[in-house]
Each structure stands twice: as structure tokens, then as C-alpha cells.
Amino acid sequence: MTIQPAKLTDPAVRAFVTAVNAHDRDGFLALLAPGATMADDGSDRDLDEWIDREIFSSNGHLDVDNESQGGRALLANYRNDTWGEMRTRWSFTVEDDGRISRFETGQA
């Protein structure tokens, strides 16, 4: 059962998923804290390069199945034009100002 993005618990994570699915790069970047970092399958990646390749130039889309840790950990089906669909996990570090300072993803 997919959780609609508007029903996600954490406001920053809700906005992140909404921006990914709307292909809203500017909105996505506005959610990130200065110096934000990310990792894919346990390896740190260049954030700008990764989001362009894995999300915005390849029509990335998240269908969230489950959330935990107050909405800051997701289990989701992720698809893009490069890799097709895969089962993924996402975790988020959200700062006091509501911006995301780090996210990690990988196959679930």
C-alpha cells in the first residue's frame, strides 16, 4: 500500500518526495541545508551530480510503502529511466531549521 506524499509524517521528507515526483529541481535544492551530503549504497557521492543523474535527468519517482523513525526513514519503490524500478531505502537527517543536511539511499 503506497503512502501518498501528502500523508508523510516529516514535513522536510514530505517536501523532498513531492519535489522528486514533480521533477522540481529548484524546490528540491531549497530543501537542502548548506553543505548537504548524501550517500548511495553506503558510498558518499557528489550530491549535485547524483541528483541530476539519478533524479532530474532520468525522471526519478518515489512510491513510498513504509515510513519509520518519525518519518525520516522510508522504504520505497524508486524508478527512473536509467535503472527502471527498484526497492530502496532512504534515511534523512533534518536540521532544526527544517532543512535536510544529509540523505542516504540504497537498495533495500
Side-chain angles (χ1 to χ4, degrees):
M1 182 74 164
T2 301
I3 301 171
Q4 293 304 313
K7 305 268 191 212
L8 293 171
T9 303
D10 187 275
V13 174
R14 182 184 325 132
F16 180 100
V17 172
T18 300
V20 167
N21 291 351
H23 311 293
D24 179 2
R25 189 179 194 279
D26 291 339
F28 179 95
L29 292 173
L31 300 169
L32 301 179
T37 60
M38 63 86 52
D40 185 1
D41 283 328
S43 298
D44 276 25
R45 307 283 188 203
D46 178 282
L47 187 134
D48 287 327
E49 179 186 297
W50 190 90
I51 65 169
D52 282 342
R53 184 179 68 246
E54 300 292 339
I55 299 174
F56 296 108
S57 70
S58 60
N59 296 307
H61 189 89
L62 274 164
D63 288 320
V64 178
D65 289 333
N66 186 285
E67 63 175 0
S68 58
Q69 297 175 19
R72 293 186 179 175
L74 305 178
L75 196 56
N77 285 322
Y78 184 75
R79 67 180 180 271
N80 66 24
D81 293 346
T82 306
W83 305 109
E85 187 166 321
M86 65 190 88
R87 192 93 172 127
T88 57
R89 55 174 171 66
W90 298 75
S91 64
F92 300 87
T93 303
V94 180
E95 298 306 310
D96 292 341
D97 68 0
R99 291 193 290 177
I100 296 167
S101 59
R102 181 170 177 83
F103 67 93
E104 298 185 23
T105 186
Q107 293 201 45

